Amino acid sequence: MVSQLPHPPHTPQAGHRPARPAGAVVSQLPHRPTHPKQATGRLARPEPWSASYTAPTHIKGLGLDSRQQSSYPLTMQPTPIYQPANLNPAYQLRFSWTGFPARGTRFPANVSLDEMDELTAAWESEGIRVLEHRWTAEQIQATLSVVPQVSPIFLAARVKGRLQHAMRKRGQPVAFARNFSVRSLGDATREAVENYVRRQVERADLVDPAYREQLRRCMWHDRAVDLSKPSNSSSALYWYNLHVVLISCERYRMGAKETAQTVRDTCRAVAAKHEYGISTLSVMPDHLHIAMRGNLAHSPEQIALRLQNNTAWKLGQVKFWEHNYYAGTFGEYTMHAVRS
């Protein structure tokens, strides 16, 4: 048998893409090494949750948007740097829920302690904690604290569904009207939070006026995004306002204006794709503040992951952020106003 000499090296002409053999898989270079340091500090004390809590299994997706399809469809996608298992978040996520009976009906006048204990235990297992509640024949109100894996849609469905089940169980089934509401709450009002984020650059202790001006140019404020207005669905009104804070890895200082601009523009692109509404954004030397409206189907953690992973990818698929985030709700009313 005549052996065959290897082909001489081929230099493609300009504009010519060499053919890929059928079935070949394009290998991917390893990612840049990341620093093994993990974030240990918290930005704020979260709600005290049971150690046995497990995140709801309905949550899917790690937040990395799919890249544009290349000419080689078998090319592997990058592994997200930030994933639920390696995050150490701080959060303060609170909502009010108000439901009304269908026209011509009334709720049972009260709920027994045993029934309420059963309800609160079921909600707790799903990441929803009852802080206060008020039950009358005309309406049911509750203030709730949730973990970052819970979205407003999931919250509304679980609260309404378990209440309906409890009333059917006692033999007094009542349908809910299609006008219940879910409101995000916080210790500060919407106006206070937006002003806080907007004034970050002016209040920062910066020596270089040129650097201050550079950060000022990277700020984003969209007057078209009115966080005082609700998001309408077919059956409810939702107010879902979040204050998100990301910290650069080891407090890395974003000195180059291109870095800060990439962070700002990527956050805006993520918001446009996933129907978030960014009201105000401030890129600081070593952290990022965003006041925004979330997508009702996305949990705070899903939103944070999308922001972290997409900005990290745009900056070279490097560990740009610490493995933590802060997410806090806010709205037109404070917790104090609701409780009083």
Side-chain angles (χ1 to χ4, degrees), residues 132-145:
E132 298 96 7
H133 76 277
R134 181 171 178 267
W135 184 309
T136 68
E138 290 75 29
Q139 67 178 20
I140 299 174
Q141 293 177 301
T143 54
L144 309 162
S145 174

Side-chain angles (χ1 to χ4, degrees), residues 199-269:
R199 295 172 181 170
Q200 283 291 299
V201 174
E202 300 303 325
R203 295 166 61 94
D205 184 16
L206 301 174
V207 176
D208 186 358
Y211 185 54
R212 187 187 300 275
E213 179 61 26
Q214 175 181 308
L215 292 178
R216 188 182 292 115
R217 292 177 179 273
C218 285
M219 291 178 58
W220 173 256
H221 175 56
D222 190 347
R223 296 182 182 276
V225 177
D226 187 351
L227 300 184
S228 69
K229 295 182 178 179
S231 300
N232 296 318
S233 75
S234 60
S235 59
L237 295 177
Y238 292 85
W239 286 261
Y240 184 26
N241 298 333
L242 288 174
H243 178 199
V244 178
V245 182
L246 305 180
I247 300 175
S248 60
C249 185
E250 297 185 349
R251 290 286 183 174
Y252 165 78
R253 186 179 178 87
M254 290 181 264
K257 67 177 182 180
E258 292 80 10
T259 302
Q261 289 172 349
T262 298
V263 170
R264 177 200 62 196
D265 294 343
T266 304
C267 289
R268 290 182 58 195

Side-chain angles (χ1 to χ4, degrees), residues 43-102:
L43 299 174
R45 181 174 297 175
E47 298 287 349
W49 289 98
S50 168
S52 62
Y53 172 75
T54 303
T57 57
H58 73 285
I59 298 299
K60 296 182 179 179
L62 300 178
L64 184 67
D65 290 341
S66 58
R67 300 174 64 180
Q68 183 178 2
Q69 290 294 324
S70 68
S71 57
Y72 296 151
L74 296 180
T75 301
M76 294 177 62
Q77 299 297 321
T79 301
I81 295 174
Y82 303 95
Q83 305 184 35
N86 64 27
L87 291 180
N88 183 31
Y91 53 90
Q92 195 169 54
L93 303 166
R94 293 170 293 188
F95 295 86
S96 68
W97 184 95
T98 304
F100 305 92

Side-chain angles (χ1 to χ4, degrees), residues 10 21 32 70 83 99 112 128 180 191 201 234 255 289 296 305 316:
H10 171 67
R32 298 182 186 181
S70 68
Q83 305 184 35
S112 69
I128 303 169
F180 67 87
E191 183 178 9
V201 174
S234 60
H289 284 273
L296 301 177
L305 283 167

Side-chain angles (χ1 to χ4, degrees), residues 114-311:
D114 288 341
E115 289 173 320
M116 199 63 208
D117 287 344
E118 184 178 344
L119 282 169
T120 54
W123 284 323
E124 184 99 7
S125 69
E126 296 168 329
I128 303 169
R129 172 166 292 175
V130 179
L131 302 179
E132 298 96 7
H133 76 277
R134 181 171 178 267
W135 184 309
T136 68
E138 290 75 29
Q139 67 178 20
I140 299 174
Q141 293 177 301
T143 54
L144 309 162
S145 174
V146 303
V147 295
Q149 294 80 22
V150 173
S151 70
I153 292 291
F154 181 80
L155 168 70
R158 286 298 188 267
V159 172
K160 179 182 175 182
R162 292 201 178 277
L163 285 171
Q164 287 179 315
H165 175 73
M167 287 184 280
R168 286 197 303 269
K169 188 175 179 181
R170 67 153 53 182
Q172 296 175 295
V174 178
F176 279 84
R178 299 176 63 86
N179 62 342
F180 67 87
S181 68
V182 177
R183 283 183 177 269
S184 54
L185 304 171
D187 291 330
T189 63
R190 170 196 55 79
E191 183 178 9
V193 173
E194 287 184 304
N195 287 336
Y196 173 78
V197 174
R198 194 176 300 126
R199 295 172 181 170
Q200 283 291 299
V201 174
E202 300 303 325
R203 295 166 61 94
D205 184 16
L206 301 174
V207 176
D208 186 358
Y211 185 54
R212 187 187 300 275
E213 179 61 26
Q214 175 181 308
L215 292 178
R216 188 182 292 115
R217 292 177 179 273
C218 285
M219 291 178 58
W220 173 256
H221 175 56
D222 190 347
R223 296 182 182 276
V225 177
D226 187 351
L227 300 184
S228 69
K229 295 182 178 179
S231 300
N232 296 318
S233 75
S234 60
S235 59
L237 295 177
Y238 292 85
W239 286 261
Y240 184 26
N241 298 333
L242 288 174
H243 178 199
V244 178
V245 182
L246 305 180
I247 300 175
S248 60
C249 185
E250 297 185 349
R251 290 286 183 174
Y252 165 78
R253 186 179 178 87
M254 290 181 264
K257 67 177 182 180
E258 292 80 10
T259 302
Q261 289 172 349
T262 298
V263 170
R264 177 200 62 196
D265 294 343
T266 304
C267 289
R268 290 182 58 195
V270 171
K273 178 172 182 176
H274 295 287
E275 298 181 348
Y276 307 152
I278 294 180
S279 166
T280 306
L281 178 153
S282 288
V283 181
M284 301 303 292
D286 57 5
H287 62 283
L288 169 70
H289 284 273
I290 304 177
M292 62 181 294
R293 176 191 298 118
N295 185 315
L296 301 177
H298 294 178
S299 69
E301 182 158 284
Q302 287 176 306
I303 293 172
L305 283 167
R306 284 184 167 89
L307 295 171
Q308 287 179 310
N309 281 316
N310 281 280
T311 49

Side-chain angles (χ1 to χ4, degrees), residues 35-49:
H35 198 283
K37 178 181 179 295
Q38 298 292 319
T40 56
R42 287 181 178 266
L43 299 174
R45 181 174 297 175
E47 298 287 349
W49 289 98

